[in-house]
Amino acid sequence: MRFVLNVVLWMLACLLLAMPALAKPTVILTDQQAAIRVDTGLDFLHDPDGRLTINELTSTAFSQQFSNTGTAGFYVGLTDDTYWLKQRFDYQSSVLAWYVQVLGMDEAWVEVYLQPEGAPPIRLDPEPYFLYHTYPLAVAAPGLYTLYVRVKDRNDGLGLGFRFTQAEQRVNIHHIIFYTLISGGLLALGLYNLFLFASLRHASYGWLGLGILAINLENSRYTGLLHQYLPVWPEYAQFYAVFSFLALLGYIEFFRDLLGTRHYFPLLDQAFRVLFWLLVGVLINLAWLPFAALCYTILAALVFTLTAFTIISLFFTPIKLNKKLSWGFVVFILGSLPALLNGLYIQLEFVFGLPLLLLTIFLFALLLSLAQTDHVRLLREEAASAKAANQAKGDFLTTMSHELRTPMNAVVGAGSLLRDTGLTVQQRSYVDKLEIASRHMLALIGNILDVSRIEQQALSFEEIPFDLKAIATELEALFAGQAKDKGLAFSLQASAASLWLQGDPTRLKQVLMNLLSNAIKFTEQGQVDFSLLVEEEREELRVVNFAVNDSGIGITPEQQAHLFQPFSQADSTTSRRYGGSGLGLAISAQLVKQMGGSLHLESALGQGSRLWFRLEFPIAKTLATTLATVSSVVASQRLNLPAAAILLVDDDLLNQFFTQAVLEKLGMQVTIAGSGAAAIQQVQQQNFALVLMDVSMPEMDGYETTRRIRAMPNLADLPIIALTAHAIAGERERCLAAGMSDFLCKPYQIADLQMTLQRWLR
């Protein structure tokens, strides 16, 4: 707007400069006139280089070179040149306390000289009382005087006017009080928002507080409340321009957060970000940039145009516009209209133009603050609701996982018992299929539980030694046969030597098994390649690259965008043709991320896929600790266990039956307690070598039962092993804190039970 205005003013100036000089009457100052606005033509002289001095200007050589504007004001528009203006006045007042105010030059460099008739000119100094460019007239006696004003404005368009006022009229005390109240209100709003930012750590409060404080300081150029504390220097306009740009920067970031443009209007948000960095660039270069006000006006016009477009776009979405924000913009538009029209030189003679504008700014800032408070309160309510929903979902998934694991323990136990009986070939085939289905069901339950853990940020990772070669060998043995059954070639690239690292081998294998399982599932012909290679060696660190390549169906770039989201697959036909829950890759991506890497995908439709990630592992410190983890290799072997009396505490009849059968098969003497109270009674009546304690039981759970047993004399060292289907983070710690000796998660393999018994039966 200011750009258009300056163009119009420049054209007007050209027309005025082409006009012949007009006879200009002299302004007469009398006691009856409290204030006089110069409404006649002004004499002016163009000084392009700014080299003319006041003495040269008042000489006969230049006195006849002045032209006349023919209007009450002087408007040139954008120019870096210097101009001299001349105004004659007849001082007939007996009051020796008159002032001259240079209007409309808040952003310019001004020098004012007064020349009594027949005497040399003297320079007037501005009075740092209220408004800049208010000069006391150094008149000694009535008579004719000539006022010379030298002006230059490299920050904005050049245009000014004159006003003579008596001392008591130079400043309206009511205006001062009003300006002080408005400035105090804006200061309080700005500091309040900054305080909320410091307390709540919500960035939009900080941006809003910065914007309000900056606009308050920028307003002081019009109210003059800081002028008595600031010196007058040629570049002081840039000082105020800094506040203008900071206010606009704060507004942009606040508005982006308030309306959520980042999520709802990404293209508009990108435009806001571009304008933000343009403003930052201009702000950095303010000291060297001419016509900064014009740059600011253009950028501000773009920002508010983009704001208006965003608000209009809201009406075509389900998003509701905050009412306080709506009223804020209505107040801003209506309150700024008189100032806008006056800026276009449509004189409304509106006395309260500046007070109205300042009040508008205050109300706008107040309504924005209230809208921000509503916005943050709504966000907190939504966050609390989402947290409660996630907690409820997590509790549901955890409960369902427990309820599913409990009968699955019986299924796995039944399969294990059946395998060791005399079976026909057909029966053994059934048992094999039962084991495959059980493993698939357990994997699905584990994936659902992992989703719950990820959403609740409850995933835990071990830091134990493991052999990278052993993981590669184990995965090759597990998946090479599956690939061969589908007629696929399977290749492994890995180091031939053992490499002991520190990390979580279980989570690492979980990721790799997901990737290899998917690769084989979605490949009909061709091959699957698995590589596990050390890329970098850094002192006590190793960087390992894991990659799975296949020649399968591949996916499009559009499908890839949703592939790592839970319960998502490439398209709706994938689950029908290949099966699966769509959880594997989502969980794998999160696991890799929390282990310090990033899962990457390269794929094209019909050309296969490549999934890869890189992780850093410390080298394992001690071999003794490392070798302790190898016990899982021999877990499947038959161990020599001493016959011992075992108390099995479980309220589920199926689990009682199959766990008792397994224990008796291992040579144990089993006593069953169906509740916590029964368990306490049994340990008081009989000596047991070990107790297998179910955690979830009615009336008295396993934790309370264990605590009561531990409180009994001579039972402090009795091994109590937790049997639980709660495979959630922190469950092991909770069991140990209750006094249990070890932890076994349902469903468990017979080998796991064997290893636990071997560890505790002496």
Side-chain angles (χ1 to χ4, degrees), residues 83-104:
Y83 282 83
W84 286 89
L85 289 98
K86 182 172 63 173
Q87 174 66 49
R88 288 173 58 83
F89 65 91
D90 185 359
Y91 191 80
Q92 299 179 6
S93 174
S94 60
V95 179
L96 299 180
W98 277 77
Y99 288 78
V100 62
Q101 293 178 332
V102 182
L103 307 175

Side-chain angles (χ1 to χ4, degrees), residues 505-551:
T506 303
R507 292 297 186 187
L508 179 60
K509 284 192 290 185
Q510 181 180 352
V511 172
L512 295 174
M513 289 172 66
N514 277 332
L515 301 187
L516 287 167
S517 177
N518 276 345
I520 293 174
K521 179 195 297 186
F522 296 112
T523 303
E524 299 296 338
Q525 58 184 3
Q527 63 184 36
V528 173
D529 300 322
F530 173 41
S531 63
L532 186 153
L533 300 171
V534 176
E535 280 192 349
E536 299 180 39
E537 298 183 1
R538 312 177 193 161
E539 298 182 358
E540 297 183 354
L541 286 176
R542 294 294 181 269
V543 179
V544 184
N545 184 285
F546 303 88
V548 175
N549 297 274
D550 65 65
S551 57

Side-chain angles (χ1 to χ4, degrees), residues 623-634:
L623 187 59
T625 305
T626 302
L627 293 176
T629 64
V630 187
S631 59
S632 60
V633 177
V634 296

